[in-house]
Amino acid sequence: MDSGNEPSVSEPSAGLVVGVDSGGSGLRIALAEAAGGTVLGTIASREPVRTGPGGISAAHFLEQVLPAVHALRGRAAPDSAGARPVLAVAVGAAGMATLGDELRAELPGAFAGAWGVRRLALAADAVTAYAGALGQRPGAVVAGGTGMIALGTDLVSWRRADGWGHLLGDCGSGAWIGRAGLEAAMRAHDGRRGGSPALLARAEKLFGPVAGLPGALYPRTDRPAVLASFAPEVADCAAGDPVAADVLVRAAEHVADAAEAVCPADPGALIALTGGLFKMGDPLLVPLRAALGERVPHARTVAPAGDPLAGAVLLASALATGSLRLPEDPSLLRLFDGGSTETAASAQVGGGAVTPDRAGSGHEDRT
């Protein structure tokens, strides 16, 4: 189907791919070999892509990505900058499911015009987190930070659990743990059952007198992050405080519930835990391993192989080489070829419409 000087997908050794990870803390862009995905260079920007009435701003995204890729191509081949074609691009972005309409409308044409790219994947950041952690194998990934989301696939369709925000979900997340710990502190302040004097002391050291905490906390737009900032205090108290320890046991059960909901029944399924939440160590991980063993005994928990940027590179390389196995989905993973969208055939995630893909403000905001 290719003609002229267009690179053939059967000859990826001549080309390059681009992977992009866009989140709340900024952008990371990688240039890699199309065959094998070996990364040749990366550039990071701490300026998050703006959102507006049309969702994530395609213009602001391109203002950062196009010059970065030009610079990376120059570094990779200083004597023949731009001579090696870019065969495919993969973008993982927080909010892609509900805020990505402008990106889906404009990026295929923009990349085709800039580099002659015909193949493009636009993915929710949960998908690139999955691809980075497990590659193209069946399993489940739980991404935990300020919030929490689980994503799983049997390579036929995707399933998603939680990621509904700190008011409706994100159960077991940093914000959930912090809120539960502060509730225990308030109980101790009031003299109610279930209170923790240890957590009360920690809360007053961090926030001042707890009687003033509701008035200071409720109006804040960054309320989930403020709640999550108390989660490490809960972990620090867990060894000597049964109330704090119980908070983490309940958090572990919530995380395991989400993993169970999305993990395929395949006996070879894998589970990976990603994000800063799981850096709490044994106070959370010991009860979590026990809960996973009860709920998904057929699955094996493994360390994530890579991060979401590695996942974006993997998607791009698989597109360039014709080896993509992860399923398309209208909200989670859209593929474009020659400027047109290929219709996704996979089922709706979790049996319903997919809404914002949050890993707790994903790879950007983990506790």
Side-chain angles (χ1 to χ4, degrees), residues 1-15 34 85 87 118-119 319-321:
M1 291 190 300
D2 298 317
S3 61
N5 294 322
E6 286 187 329
S8 170
V9 73
S10 64
E11 299 175 358
S13 59
L87 302 185
R118 296 174 51 210
R119 295 172 178 86
L319 275 181
T321 57

Side-chain angles (χ1 to χ4, degrees), residues 269-339:
L270 303 175
I271 295 176
L273 308 172
T274 70
L277 178 70
F278 304 110
K279 295 178 182 178
M280 285 187 180
D282 285 349
L284 177 63
L285 294 180
V286 168
L288 178 53
R289 292 187 193 106
L292 289 171
E294 293 176 0
R295 287 164 174 74
V296 280
H298 65 282
R300 180 166 58 95
T301 302
V302 298
D307 64 7
L309 182 59
V313 169
L314 182 147
L315 290 177
S317 178
L319 275 181
T321 57
S323 59
L324 184 64
R325 299 176 61 207
L326 294 176
E328 291 184 69
D329 181 272
S331 296
L332 292 173
L333 179 59
R334 294 278 295 276
L335 304 181
F336 299 78
D337 191 348

